[in-house]
Amino acid sequence: NERVMRPDFGVNAHIFVFENMSEITKARISSTITQLIRQYEPRVDVMSVYPEVQEDDQGNQSVLVMNIMYRVAGQVQQQQVYVPLTDEG
């Protein structure tokens, strides 16, 4: 979430930790991540950012997974990455 000598670098996901995972919150997370990717990695064209809440075996919401579709500048092929955000880091 940080880089040395760059305190402004990162997603600041902690601001969403205690938010109700409504569609509005998911849209805010998606918008924040899209904006930050464009700011810190201009070589990437973000196609979509979709936050998805996964449940554990007991049906509790436990993991927020970011599904990010993107294209690297100069390439035709889209790529996809899943980033789980858990309390374990």
Side-chain angles (χ1 to χ4, degrees):
N1 209 19
E2 297 179 358
R3 289 183 69 183
V4 176
M5 306 301 284
R6 297 281 310 268
D8 61 329
F9 184 86
V11 176
N12 294 321
H14 66 277
I15 65 175
F16 298 107
V17 170
F18 295 108
E19 294 284 332
N20 181 9
M21 256 326 120
S22 66
E23 292 304 313
I24 292 171
T25 303
K26 289 179 184 180
R28 285 179 50 217
I29 293 169
S30 177
S31 176
T32 299
I33 290 175
T34 300
Q35 177 185 5
L36 291 170
I37 291 172
R38 288 180 177 151
Q39 178 180 344
Y40 292 114
E41 187 48 83
R43 297 171 294 178
V44 171
D45 183 20
V46 179
M47 311 308 286
S48 67
V49 176
Y50 180 74
E52 176 183 357
V53 177
Q54 294 183 349
E55 298 178 347
D56 62 13
D57 295 336
Q58 290 78 33
N60 300 316
Q61 295 180 350
S62 61
V63 178
L64 180 64
V65 178
M66 303 308 303
N67 178 1
I68 303 170
M69 295 286 298
Y70 65 96
R71 180 181 299 130
V72 177
Q75 295 186 1
V76 176
Q77 182 179 0
Q78 290 185 8
Q79 299 182 40
Q80 184 172 17
V81 62
Y82 293 97
V83 181
L85 303 174
T86 66
D87 60 357
E88 298 171 1

